[in-house]
Amino acid sequence: MGIVIIRQDEKIDSWKDAITRFDPNSKVYSYLEEHPGDEISMALIWKHPKGSLAKYPNLKCIASAGAGVDYIFADSTAPKNIPITRLVDPYLTSDMSEHVLAVILSELKNFNTYKLNQTKSYWKPKDYRRIKDVTVGIMGLGELGALTAADLTRVGFQVQGWSRSQKSISNVKTFSGTDSLSEFLNSTEILVCLLPLTPATEGILNASLFRQLPKGAYIINVARGGHLTDADLIAYLDNDHLSGACLDVYHQEPLPEEHPFWQHPKILMTPHYASVSDTNSVIPQILENYKRLQNGKPLLNEVDRKNGY
Ligand code: GLV
């Protein structure tokens, strides 16, 4: 039994070191080093190169090193008959909620506009908005969406949420299913996308959705770039139906230099870093699953392959 870590960023060694720190006896390898492929039972991955999972004949579990798993389903060569797990972690959840709150407050208090004005030495007061007067709509009420919604109510926002199946969260008006999407959108002034990316939600942030939001609505996409139809966002920012957008995720990451988002005055960009797995916090659940795998016990945070999340 062994664990292979597959990821293409510079964090691969720090993940390996963290696992060894928590369990000095574990057999853990970076996929870049020499390792016994037939001894690997768990692949701990993040945006792995497509095809790389097919090299392990005795793989028993694919563990995502993040909350999302869409990139695993996007690899048609990934084994189809073994469990996929994802991370559910208090920091991953609260970091997202803090990020969304920071974005919303900076928009209500016009910090984005003032930063632009500052680059032109342009003094121009602009009316700000109060928390109590603003309705935030959250699409996706899973772990991240539900906590973000609850936190925003505590700060004083009017909060509503939309999800595939009906959810109940204290002080949050909840909607579910495609039939209620219009009603949800019609009264959402700041839209936060925290949906899982599946064939049903791909491209959901598009012209038809933007049209149903009130004029002046603001978009925050902290889910996946695949949710957004880029050209529709630009069209609805340019025709002034939307007041702005803050994006953390993109179709291609890093976003190519020539992409129009970079220079758009109404778009605020962050580099897919709203909420990032903290190895000290998440490794215990990964090692717990590794132990469960060895003992044939049910795994924590297993993904429903049918739903895709
Ligand atoms: C980040 O995007 C994650 O899925 O954890």
Side-chain angles (χ1 to χ4, degrees):
M1 298 280 276
I3 303 174
V4 65
I5 303 180
I6 312 179
R7 53 190 303 144
Q8 301 179 78
D9 59 11
E10 72 291 348
K11 292 186 176 175
I12 190 157
D13 290 330
S14 63
W15 276 79
K16 184 180 161 188
D17 294 348
I19 292 192
T20 310
R21 211 168 45 246
F22 275 91
D23 179 3
N25 296 321
S26 62
K27 288 190 186 151
V28 55
Y29 307 92
S30 152
Y31 82 115
L32 296 173
E33 68 186 319
E34 197 69 42
H35 60 287
D38 52 354
E39 282 179 25
I40 298 299
S41 51
M42 177 186 265
L44 173 57
I45 70 173
W46 179 247
K47 295 192 180 170
H48 62 296
K50 284 190 179 154
S52 54
L53 289 169
K55 296 186 185 139
Y56 302 99
N58 298 314
L59 198 62
K60 294 196 169 50
C61 169
I62 304 169
S64 174
V69 291
D70 47 290
Y71 64 97
I72 302 174
F73 290 106
D75 177 1
S76 61
T77 66
K80 303 216 166 24
N81 49 0
I82 58 173
I84 297 174
T85 60
R86 67 191 206 95
L87 296 180
V88 176
D89 174 73
Y91 288 122
L92 208 47
T93 312
S94 62
D95 289 355
M96 180 57 82
S97 170
E98 290 181 17
H99 177 92
V100 169
L101 178 62
V103 172
I104 296 176
L105 287 180
S106 62
E107 180 54 22
L108 296 191
K109 304 304 172 186
N110 302 315
F111 288 175
N112 307 325
T113 306
Y114 290 143
K115 184 67 210 176
L116 266 184
N117 291 353
Q118 191 182 334
T119 61
K120 295 179 248 166
S121 308
Y122 180 44
W123 179 282
K124 177 101 170 90
K126 182 176 175 191
D127 286 342
Y128 51 78
R129 300 193 66 194
R130 297 194 178 102
I131 288 175
K132 71 174 182 59
D133 298 330
V134 176
T135 301
V136 181
I138 306 210
M139 295 183 82
L141 296 173
E143 297 287 335
L144 305 186
L147 182 92
T148 302
D151 283 353
L152 291 174
T153 66
R154 275 193 284 278
V155 179
F157 287 99
Q158 309 293 320
V159 183
Q160 49 191 24
W162 179 85
S163 51
R164 195 175 65 104
S165 55
Q166 186 61 36
K167 299 276 164 61
S168 160
I169 303 167
S170 176
N171 298 321
V172 176
K173 187 171 178 193
T174 51
F175 299 81
S176 65
T178 38
D179 290 351
S180 69
L181 185 57
S182 278
E183 194 189 343
F184 164 80
L185 294 171
N186 289 169
S187 48
T188 288
E189 298 174 283
I190 296 188
L191 181 78
V192 180
C193 178
L194 272 167
L195 289 164
L197 182 63
T198 66
T201 63
E202 193 165 353
I204 193 167
L205 302 178
N206 58 25
S208 137
L209 179 144
F210 298 146
R211 200 177 299 129
Q212 297 175 69
L213 292 165
K215 186 169 163 58
Y218 189 85
I219 307 294
I220 301 174
N221 188 16
V222 275
R224 287 291 181 259
H227 288 118
L228 180 65
T229 306
D230 294 3
D232 290 2
L233 177 66
I234 291 184
Y236 273 74
L237 290 170
D238 289 350
N239 72 14
D240 282 337
H241 186 72
L242 297 176
S243 59
C246 181
L247 308 174
D248 188 52
V249 287
Y250 309 90
H251 282 271
Q252 195 183 332
E253 297 176 359
L255 191 68
E257 235 174 86
E258 63 281 5
H259 195 288
F261 286 170
W262 282 110
Q263 303 303 332
H264 202 289
K266 289 181 164 181
I267 295 180
L268 177 65
M269 291 171 55
T270 52
H272 199 154
Y273 224 70
S275 170
V276 182
S277 302
D278 175 339
T279 49
N280 283 325
S281 185
V282 303
I283 293 236
Q285 73 179 269
I286 293 165
L287 287 175
E288 168 65 23
N289 266 348
Y290 187 51
K291 201 160 75 191
R292 287 171 178 239
L293 208 55
Q294 281 161 308
N295 297 330
K297 295 223 182 94
L299 302 180
L300 305 174
N301 307 321
E302 188 171 341
V303 167
D304 181 338
R305 279 184 175 268
K306 192 165 38 65
N307 289 341
Y309 59 91

